[in-house]
Amino acid sequence: MAMGMHTDWSSEIAWGGIRQPVDAAHTLPAACYADQKFFEAEQATVFSSFWTGVAASDQVRDAGNTIVRSVAGQSIIITRDDDGELRAFRNACRHRGTELLEDDCQLSGTIRCPYHRWGYSLTGSLIATPRFDEYPLEGFDRADYGLHPVRVEAFAGVVFVSLEAEVPSVAECMGDLGLRLAGYELDTWRLREERSFEIRANWKLISENFQEYYHLTWVHPDLAKVSRVADHYRYQGPGMYCGQTTTPVSSDERDDWTAMPPAAGLTESDGASGRFVAMFPNVLLSVLPNHVFLMLLEPLAPGRTLERAIWLLPPHEAPVSEHAFAVTRDFWIDVNTEDIDIVQRNQRGLTAGGYTPGRYSPRFEEPVHRFANMLADRFTAQAPGDLRIPDGDPADDLDLFGNGVNPLPYRPA
Ligand code: FES
Ligand SMILES: [Fe+2]
């Protein structure tokens, strides 16, 4: 099957294997992970036409907190204005197009172009045009030259940006996920640490690996002690996300996940569980009772991805000691290192030539199948706002695909 070079990815025919039910479907072809043309089409369709997670909410908590991120290869400024509103703009001066900001920074009220010092307020209005009054331009109105705005929203402790005007709000796209996570109040959680990893694998391999616990026993022997295979259940309602839960989260001899105090006021189910949610396309969110481990994926090339790893802690009156935090952070770094090794190896196999699509284990890999179908939906959409939000499970206390019955399922309030 020579997929790749001449495949029309906007046609349903290209996605025939993944469009079968999970127990009959085939995995995605190698081209989806390795082909430059596919990568470019994916940047132009998926990442330009949907929401992309770019930061933790806490990174733009206060007025003037500013970050610069690349979305679908385009540079975007994200900031908090003086009235507390999130704002996002194209990172190009309206005079002659100079890049306004090179990097994350703290602004005091003005975005100033380094070239001729045009200045913009944090709401994007053009407020300074040095020396333009020396020879007034006929019909020149600063109001016509504000920064080009970009849609930005916070959801579940994450800031999302969309270059597409037609796509519904993040909350709407994510279906019931906002309700599921409401009890954690993740928008109040604080950033504790951030690290970046450059991974030699396609971004989808990192997400797919996150979505399935099939590999847990063999790739993560230590993680399997606190997040036992037998304690994994479905956590998947309607929405553009794939989820699973570990209930209960166990403790081990090193207290990897229990060294820090839990968030206040959690439900019995939230307080006992680890929630593992892959929001389409690029947000990987692990929510434990006492911390969040967030990964944001930025595709750099078919076989290269920047992973921003962020640890959030619930707001506590007393600070959490470095020692208590380090136990959890180092545990995640070990797990992440194991995942990076295996996804890089996955990438090498997919680029080596000769791979033909395989099959999914429904119990462990139904989320991977769901995710691939969301991808297919974006490629085959007739218009940017043409969004199919997948259904979820009828309830969380069902034995679907042989996963068993969760003893403490999430229940809608
Ligand atoms: S290009 Fe920005 S002020 Fe001239
Ligand atoms: Fe893993």
Side-chain angles (χ1 to χ4, degrees):
M1 207 160 48
M3 302 282 271
M5 291 276 285
H6 304 293
T7 305
D8 175 6
W9 296 104
S10 66
S11 153
E12 278 291 343
I13 295 165
W15 303 93
I18 202 71
R19 289 308 203 185
Q20 307 298 313
V22 62
D23 55 2
H26 283 83
T27 61
L28 295 177
C32 296
Y33 304 95
D35 181 79
Q36 180 67 28
K37 286 269 183 307
F38 181 90
F39 180 81
E40 287 163 14
E42 187 178 68
Q43 289 284 291
T45 54
V46 178
F47 283 88
S48 296
S49 74
F50 195 66
W51 294 97
T52 302
V54 292
S57 301
D58 196 41
Q59 291 175 287
V60 279
R61 176 169 302 278
D62 300 318
N65 291 168
T66 304
I67 56 175
V68 180
R69 293 290 181 274
S70 175
V71 174
Q74 316 209 20
S75 184
I76 309 294
I77 296 170
I78 301 112
T79 191
R80 178 82 60 178
D81 74 18
D82 295 317
D83 294 327
E85 289 291 316
L86 270 179
R87 301 275 182 174
F89 310 106
R90 300 286 187 160
N91 189 9
C93 180
R94 291 297 308 277
H95 176 222
R96 278 170 46 212
T98 300
E99 176 186 79
L100 291 166
L101 300 176
E102 282 184 310
D103 225 329
D104 299 0
C105 57
Q106 175 65 36
L107 296 171
S108 52
T110 309
I111 301 170
R112 182 81 64 185
C113 180
Y115 204 169
H116 315 95
R117 308 295 285 177
W118 279 28
Y120 305 86
S121 73
L122 298 185
T123 63
S125 305
L126 178 60
I127 52 174
T129 49
R131 309 193 69 162
F132 258 47
D133 53 353
E134 292 174 15
Y135 187 89
L137 295 183
E138 188 76 32
F140 174 71
D141 185 350
R142 282 179 181 171
D144 297 333
Y145 294 91
L147 295 179
H148 289 305
V150 171
R151 293 178 71 198
V152 59
E153 291 181 12
F155 177 84
V158 180
V159 175
F160 290 82
V161 159
S162 177
L163 303 177
E164 170 55 53
E166 295 300 313
V167 67
S169 70
V170 183
E172 195 174 328
C173 292
M174 294 300 154
D176 75 340
L177 186 60
L179 269 181
R180 281 175 182 266
L181 298 177
Y184 294 98
E185 299 183 14
L186 293 175
D187 282 321
T188 67
W189 289 33
R190 308 306 301 257
L191 183 140
R192 177 67 180 231
E193 193 164 327
E194 179 178 21
R195 300 214 183 173
S196 291
F197 302 89
E198 194 174 317
I199 302 176
R200 293 186 301 280
N202 186 268
W203 67 277
K204 294 187 293 299
L205 294 183
I206 303 165
S207 181
E208 291 173 4
N209 174 70
F210 176 88
Q211 293 161 32
E212 54 94 348
Y213 60 104
Y214 192 12
H215 70 279
L216 192 62
T217 319
W218 306 291
V219 175
H220 309 298
D222 281 331
L223 177 59
K225 292 177 192 160
V226 288
S227 179
R228 302 186 318 138
V229 170
D231 296 330
H232 280 71
Y233 302 99
R234 298 180 63 78
Y235 187 74
Q236 210 163 254
M240 296 288 283
Y241 73 94
C242 302
Q244 53 180 298
T245 178
T246 307
T247 311
V249 166
S250 314
S251 61
D252 61 2
E253 68 273 14
R254 304 187 314 190
D255 289 338
D256 287 304
W257 275 354
T258 52
M260 294 186 287
L266 297 182
T267 65
E268 193 183 3
S269 178
D270 288 346
S273 302
R275 316 299 197 185
F276 303 96
V277 177
M279 286 184 246
F280 186 86
N282 77 321
V283 176
L284 308 179
L285 181 69
S286 299
V287 184
L288 282 294
N290 60 3
H291 74 276
V292 156
F293 179 59
L294 169 68
M295 291 181 283
L296 302 171
L297 307 179
E298 184 182 322
L300 302 174
R304 238 161 28 91
T305 304
L306 177 67
E307 176 186 284
R308 298 176 199 276
I310 295 167
W311 288 265
L312 304 175
L313 303 188
H316 292 298
E317 299 210 343
V320 172
S321 74
E322 183 57 21
H323 175 76
F325 170 67
V327 173
T328 299
R329 178 200 59 211
D330 294 347
F331 178 69
W332 274 115
I333 289 176
D334 289 348
V335 169
N336 197 36
T337 303
E338 292 163 350
D339 280 324
I340 291 172
D341 284 348
I342 202 69
V343 298
Q344 292 188 154
R345 194 161 171 162
N346 198 170
Q347 181 75 25
R348 293 202 297 276
L350 287 167
T351 46
Y355 173 74
T356 51
R359 300 290 295 272
Y360 294 113
S361 157
R363 171 176 175 188
F364 297 105
E365 294 174 301
E366 184 278 337
V368 182
H369 175 253
R370 174 180 168 98
F371 185 84
N373 274 279
M374 291 185 222
L375 187 79
D377 288 345
R378 297 316 295 151
F379 271 93
T380 55
Q382 299 298 306
D386 171 14
L387 188 67
R388 183 188 75 88
I389 296 180
D391 296 337
D393 297 342
D396 278 23
D397 53 359
L398 299 174
D399 180 358
L400 286 174
F401 305 115
N403 61 279
V405 178
N406 187 337
L408 267 178
Y410 156 79
R411 293 193 196 284

